[in-house]
């Protein structure tokens, strides 16, 4: 493991580079953003918020952490790490390979990436999420003596990073903002999207919804500023054999809010379920 926190942050108010001090990040215009005691910085100004407490709630973050730490999505983390290091090794030697997880949650995928790394590919890592509860949880799990990542509360719509400074962006089941990703990535940089396939968690969805909507066809045209590097489909069977794990999965997905009360009650009554995990790992290159 050879990781350092990413440093090329930008002021969310004027876009100027931020410089870290012991307790704050400051720009040349005098804007200052204090470091929280947990080890993260909030770069989400009130004017960029759509609610007083945006993003995942404390309960959702805790549910996702329990589910992911149990290893249920470990194959997804491994596939993403392989894709990152395959791309990183194409450009060796380099000082560092910088990677942003845009929508990092509690930091699970960045921790897995750090653990999969080697001294030959030094990483500069950053996790960003609009939920302060998610970023707080991620920062708490980092090593205080030598933190692996820079943890930031912020929005994908206004990434608080300087332009053309990132080697890689991860968007894990999240909301891509392609023009911002393109701005922040270096030419030749990698964007990895992980998105649900048509059969993802189908067995659970069959229970909680009266009928399933037809799946939307994924865009095949590259977004502006990107070229396709191909995709990988990952499918496997997942069995959850206790009610708490099933509840955690439901709470951490949008299905918790989309399902009817009757659907949620059906899920709560389950003691065991076997489901299909079906995801696509899509790779785009910044051109």
């Amino acid at each position: 493991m050879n990781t350092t926190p990413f440093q090329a942050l930008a002021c969310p108010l004027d876009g100027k580079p931020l410089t870290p001090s012991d307790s704050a990040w400051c720009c040349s215009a005098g804007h200052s953003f204090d470091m929280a005691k947990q080890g993260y910085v909030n770069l989400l100004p009130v004017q960029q918020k759509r609610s007083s407490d945006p993003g995942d709630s404390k309960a959702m973050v805790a549910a996702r952490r329990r589910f992911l730490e149990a290893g249920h999505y470990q194959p997804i983390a491994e596939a993403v790490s392989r894709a990152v290091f395959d791309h990183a090794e194409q450009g060796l030697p380099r000082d560092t390979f910088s990677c942003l997880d845009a929508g990092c949650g509690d930091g699970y995928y960045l921790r897995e990436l750090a653990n999969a790394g080697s001294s030959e590919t030094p990483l500069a890592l950053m996790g960003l999420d609009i939920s302060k509860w998610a970023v707080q949880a991620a920062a708490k799990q980092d090593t205080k003596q030598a933190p692996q990542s820079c943890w930031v509360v912020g929005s994908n719509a206004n990434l608080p990073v300087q332009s053309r400074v990132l080697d890689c962006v991860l968007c894990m089941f999240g909301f891509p903002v392609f023009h911002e990703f393109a701005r922040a990535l270096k030419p030749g940089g990698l964007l990895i999207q992980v998105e649900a396939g048509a059969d993802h968690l189908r067995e659970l969805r069959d229970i909680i919804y009266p009928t399933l909507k037809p799946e939307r066809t994924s865009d095949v045209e590259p977004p502006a500023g990107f070229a396709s590097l191909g995709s990988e489909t990952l499918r496997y069977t997942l069995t959850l054999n206790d009610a708490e794990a099933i509840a955690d999965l439901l709470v951490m997905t949008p299905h918790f809010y989309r399902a009817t009360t009757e659907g949620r009650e059906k899920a709560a009554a389950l003691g065991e379920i076997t489901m299909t995990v079906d995801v696509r790992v899509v790779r785009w290159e910044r051109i």
Side-chain angles (χ1 to χ4, degrees):
M1 184 188 305
N2 185 2
T3 64
T4 57
F6 179 77
Q7 297 285 294
L9 301 184
C11 178
L13 299 175
D14 57 23
K16 296 180 183 295
L18 289 174
T19 302
S21 66
D22 290 338
S23 60
W25 289 79
C26 306
C27 78
S28 59
H31 300 125
S32 180
F33 305 89
D34 292 337
M35 290 289 295
K37 63 181 180 180
Q38 293 89 353
Y40 69 90
V41 61
N42 192 327
L43 298 181
L44 185 64
V46 64
Q47 56 266 43
Q48 293 180 15
K49 292 184 178 182
R50 295 184 178 180
S51 69
S52 59
D53 191 16
D56 289 351
S57 68
K58 205 170 187 178
M60 293 175 69
V61 171
R64 180 174 288 109
R65 178 182 176 185
R66 288 190 297 266
F67 183 87
L68 293 176
E69 291 297 331
H72 299 309
Y73 278 5
Q74 180 73 25
I76 300 175
E78 292 173 353
V80 169
S81 294
R82 284 195 303 271
V84 170
F85 287 114
D86 285 349
H87 191 83
E89 289 166 4
Q90 293 176 15
L92 288 178
R94 67 174 84 223
D95 293 333
T96 58
F97 184 87
S98 55
C99 183
L100 162 69
D101 187 350
C104 64
D106 81 327
Y108 170 76
Y109 293 103
L110 279 187
R111 289 194 298 275
E112 291 296 305
L113 179 64
N115 290 335
S118 69
S119 58
E120 296 177 1
T121 308
L123 300 173
L125 302 179
M126 173 180 170
L128 175 139
D129 203 289
I130 201 169
S131 165
K132 69 177 181 181
W133 306 113
V135 175
Q136 188 177 98
K140 282 182 177 179
Q141 294 178 78
D142 214 337
T143 305
K144 291 297 181 288
Q145 290 79 9
Q148 296 179 1
S149 304
C150 174
W151 302 107
V152 176
V153 178
S155 169
N156 287 355
N158 298 279
L159 292 176
V161 300
Q162 298 168 34
S163 297
R164 296 193 170 197
V165 292
L166 289 166
D167 294 297
C168 180
V169 171
L170 308 180
C171 186
M172 308 292 301
F173 301 103
F175 301 97
V177 182
F178 291 110
H179 68 273
E180 273 294 274
F181 294 167
R183 178 190 64 79
L185 281 164
K186 301 173 183 176
L190 176 69
L191 167 61
I192 298 178
Q193 274 185 276
V194 174
E195 55 188 23
D199 292 328
H200 188 55
L201 308 181
R202 175 175 287 273
E203 295 81 1
L204 178 62
R205 292 187 287 125
D206 281 337
I207 291 171
I208 64 176
Y209 295 123
T211 58
L212 295 182
K213 296 180 181 179
E215 294 294 327
R216 293 178 299 175
T217 302
S218 297
D219 295 333
V220 294
E221 291 296 322
F226 291 93
S228 174
L229 291 176
S231 64
E232 170 190 356
T233 297
L234 182 62
R235 290 176 64 99
Y236 60 94
T237 299
L238 171 65
T239 298
L240 301 180
N241 53 18
D242 67 84
E244 182 181 13
I246 297 169
D248 284 343
L249 173 60
L250 186 59
V251 168
M252 69 179 250
T253 69
H255 302 305
F256 181 76
Y257 295 101
R258 295 174 184 168
T260 63
T261 300
E262 180 183 4
R264 290 195 293 270
E265 289 174 349
K266 288 181 178 179
L270 294 172
E272 181 176 339
I273 187 172
T274 297
M275 296 167 292
T276 303
V277 174
D278 174 24
V279 299
R280 294 176 66 235
V281 181
V282 185
R283 294 174 296 119
W284 305 104
E285 183 179 28
R286 177 69 170 97
I287 55 177

